[in-house]
Amino acid sequence: MNTKYIKEIAGDVVHNLEYNSERKPLIIPEYGRYLHVLIDQATAIEDRTERNKAAKYIISVMGNLNPHLRDVLDFQHKLWDQIFIMSDFKLDVDSPYPIPSREVLKMRPDPLKYPQNFPKYRFYGNNIKYMIDVANKWEDGELKSALVKVIANHMKKSYLSWNKDTVTDEVIFEHLFELSEGKLNLLSSSEELLNSNDLIRTNKRVSNKIMSNVTQKPKIIKNGKPKPFIKNNNNPK
């Protein structure tokens, strides 16, 4: 039977074009539009047995898109969660895993607290604050004075690690007084901390050593075996 070709009008073809902007937005775009269409068709199936078969078929298609993870149990759970999400939770099938809910999906995690309680002086770090808290609990004496001096020198070293300019001892003593809530007072003390230039050179030397260890290329050993040790005997027999 010969079918006569009917020429289409160009204006009608352009008028009937379907643009993505007119289509329903994709919930998980990574799977593409056709997979979303399959899920919508499976959702519309009235017979539950056939609907379950269609859902399992779609899961197998989703697994084929990631063949290296297809047989992993946790990944199977993820696929079932995603098929319910892409159906806008309208797909009613028997799942081997708990069915997620819209409320759980929209839940947001609690905001994490910032680990530092004194963000004004972040360059000192948390350990300095812990050391200051320990020093506050000690009784006055030579040990406490020695610990306070160690803390002050470490504060100066940390300060110069992030601020390359020199810093006076008075600034460190003011920060120590503030962080200790006024319990460690060296503002009127005649104590002298380590020289700023020496600390800057120390920090630079440590930084260069760390960078050299990071950028150092590992030695390549052929066949995974170290070279045998050959004793060089220069003594004549």
Side-chain angles (χ1 to χ4, degrees), residues 170-228:
E170 287 74 15
V171 173
I172 301 298
F173 294 157
E174 289 176 1
H175 292 174
L176 177 62
F177 182 81
E178 182 178 351
L179 294 176
S180 66
E181 298 178 357
K183 296 180 181 179
L184 302 181
N185 189 357
L186 296 179
L187 296 176
S188 59
S189 174
S190 59
E191 289 283 352
E192 292 185 2
L193 302 179
L194 297 176
N195 186 269
S196 297
N197 294 329
D198 294 339
L199 290 174
I200 291 175
R201 283 195 294 268
T202 302
N203 291 336
K204 187 175 182 180
R205 186 164 57 250
V206 172
S207 178
N208 292 337
K209 184 177 180 180
I210 294 174
M211 291 301 297
S212 62
N213 292 335
V214 172
T215 58
Q216 185 177 6
K217 295 182 179 180
K219 295 181 179 179
I220 300 176
I221 302 174
K222 294 182 178 180
N223 301 326
K225 296 181 180 180
K227 293 182 179 180

Side-chain angles (χ1 to χ4, degrees), residues 146-162:
L147 177 60
V148 172
K149 188 174 182 179
V150 169
I151 293 173
N153 279 305
H154 194 70
M155 289 174 63
K156 189 173 183 179
K157 182 179 178 181
S158 299
Y159 187 101
L160 294 173
S161 296
W162 297 98

Side-chain angles (χ1 to χ4, degrees), residues 30 37 71 75-76 80 94 118 122 137 145 157 185 226:
E30 291 80 359
V37 171
D71 298 327
F75 188 67
Q76 288 287 321
W80 280 97
D94 299 328
F118 51 101
R122 296 178 182 175
K137 298 177 182 178
S145 299
K157 182 179 178 181
N185 189 357

Side-chain angles (χ1 to χ4, degrees), residues 38-52:
L38 287 176
I39 295 174
D40 291 339
Q41 292 176 354
T43 304
I45 298 175
E46 296 181 358
D47 185 63
R48 188 176 186 84
T49 303
E50 295 298 325
R51 194 164 59 245
N52 284 329

Side-chain angles (χ1 to χ4, degrees), residues 56-82:
K56 291 179 180 179
Y57 169 76
I58 296 173
I59 290 293
S60 64
V61 173
M62 294 168 63
N64 288 334
L65 298 176
N66 300 278
H68 59 292
L69 298 172
R70 182 172 50 194
D71 298 327
V72 179
L73 294 178
D74 292 340
F75 188 67
Q76 288 287 321
H77 192 178
K78 180 179 179 180
L79 293 180
W80 280 97
D81 287 347
Q82 288 178 340

Side-chain angles (χ1 to χ4, degrees), residues 73-74 76-85 89 91 93-102 104:
L73 294 178
D74 292 340
Q76 288 287 321
H77 192 178
K78 180 179 179 180
L79 293 180
W80 280 97
D81 287 347
Q82 288 178 340
I83 194 175
F84 287 113
I85 293 171
F89 301 96
L91 182 63
V93 293
D94 299 328
S95 172
Y97 304 98
I99 300 176
S101 62
R102 194 188 305 273
V104 174

